[in-house]
């Protein structure tokens, strides 16, 4: 084939759109909603039954989402479940897009943390009792109508709650029986009871990165399917 013909063939491929594919868009750019802020955390598992995946935190800069960091993540021992229809006690991590109301921890906030940070004390509890007026809320001391057996005594969780962010699942207007006490926290020995966990260093980094003025949210989901993170 003559050199001119080769050039013409290459030009035709470009015109027809069969040339090299363009780089894929960042994950937040492919999502239905990111919460309206300029920071976002994505927690993605390969499948609904997965107990591991990846947490990535992103910044929106000049109209483009840029990855600020990432870390391996753990999910519920029974995988993930659609947040809107999840049942309490199933040890599944709820999928969806959620706000991050505040941070807390047994240890002091890492230097540079801008988020409201609540220290855990001996009488700090998270109520998961469906019959309590304090359902899915921090209570200190434990509310009289909130049974200890249906609550988390936060200080007993040790390193797992050294640092954490409250995930706003079922938080604004709690639906009884859907679930309570879903956090982004430090890894334990294995899968979680429904939270998302990351290594301690990553959790500390996320706390110093997160800026409440930038309205960060967390999107939890799978890589594809009906619970794909891009659907939220």
């Amino acid at each position: 084939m003559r050199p001119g013909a080769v050039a013409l063939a290459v030009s035709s491929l470009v015109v027809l759109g069969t040339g090299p594919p363009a780089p894929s868009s960042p994950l937040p750019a492919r999502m239905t909603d990111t919460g309206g802020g300029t920071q976002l955390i994505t927690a993605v598992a390969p499948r609904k039954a997965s107990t591991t995946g990846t947490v990535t935190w992103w910044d929106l800069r000049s109209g483009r989402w840029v990855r600020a960091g990432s870390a391996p993540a753990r999910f519920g021992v029974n995988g993930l479940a659609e947040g809107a229809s999840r049942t309490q006690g199933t040890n599944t991590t709820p999928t969806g897009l959620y706000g991050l109301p505040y941070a807390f921890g047994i240890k002091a906030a890492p230097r540079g943390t801008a988020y409201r940070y609540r220290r855990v004390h001996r009488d700090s509890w998270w109520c998961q009792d469906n019959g309590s007026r304090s359902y899915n809320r921090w209570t200190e001391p434990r509310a009289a109508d909130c049974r200890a057996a249906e609550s988390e005594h936060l200080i007993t969780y040790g390193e797992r709650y050294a640092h954490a962010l409250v995930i706003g699942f079922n938080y604004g207007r709690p639906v009884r029986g859907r679930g309570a006490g879903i956090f982004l926290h430090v890894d334990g020995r294995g899968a979680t009871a429904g939270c998302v966990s990351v290594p301690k260093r990553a959790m500390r980094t996320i706390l110093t990165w997160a800026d409440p003025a930038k309205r960060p949210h967390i999107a939890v989901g799978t890589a594809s399917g009906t619970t794909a993170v891009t659907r939220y």
Side-chain angles (χ1 to χ4, degrees):
M1 184 181 289
R2 300 188 311 278
V6 172
L8 179 61
V10 172
S11 175
S12 296
L13 285 174
V14 172
V15 170
L16 293 173
T18 56
S24 60
S25 301
L27 177 57
R30 292 180 274 123
M31 291 173 57
T32 301
D33 188 7
T34 58
T38 57
Q39 286 187 331
L40 179 71
I41 300 171
T42 54
V44 184
R47 296 170 298 279
K48 288 177 68 175
S50 301
T51 60
T52 61
T54 305
V55 159
T56 307
W57 46 106
W58 306 81
D59 289 302
L60 184 61
R61 301 175 184 168
S62 302
R64 181 174 176 81
W65 287 100
V66 178
R67 186 175 73 90
S70 66
R74 290 172 177 168
F75 300 99
V77 68
N78 288 323
L80 292 79
E82 173 61 58
S85 56
R86 179 182 181 269
T87 300
Q88 184 166 326
T90 55
N91 292 332
T92 53
T93 298
T95 62
L97 177 69
Y98 306 107
L100 298 161
Y102 61 91
F104 71 91
I106 293 172
K107 296 186 177 180
R111 187 183 298 274
T113 299
Y115 242 77
R116 181 166 71 92
Y117 191 91
R118 191 168 187 177
R119 287 294 297 274
V120 173
H121 302 108
R122 290 283 174 188
D123 57 353
S124 302
W125 295 75
W126 196 276
C127 183
Q128 299 181 358
D129 188 335
N130 282 282
S132 174
R133 288 175 295 177
S134 299
Y135 179 67
N136 203 18
R137 289 291 186 273
W138 181 301
T139 173
E140 190 174 315
R142 180 170 52 85
D145 68 345
C146 188
R147 293 168 291 171
E150 298 293 328
S151 305
E152 288 191 359
H153 191 194
L154 299 179
I155 202 163
T156 65
Y157 284 75
E159 281 298 305
R160 284 172 290 174
Y161 289 176
H163 306 293
L165 271 166
V166 176
I167 294 176
F169 165 72
N170 200 29
Y171 189 79
R173 300 178 65 180
V175 175
R176 312 285 168 158
R178 184 158 292 169
I182 301 298
F183 312 127
L184 174 62
H185 65 72
V186 176
D187 281 339
R189 293 182 178 178
T192 72
C195 295
V196 180
S197 72
V198 293
K200 185 175 182 179
R201 180 177 293 184
M203 190 68 237
R204 291 176 62 89
T205 299
I206 289 169
L207 283 178
T208 57
W209 160 84
D211 181 352
K214 296 180 179 179
R215 296 183 294 156
H217 286 68
I218 185 168
V220 183
T222 51
S224 60
T226 58
T227 54
V229 73
T230 51
R231 295 172 61 93
Y232 300 111

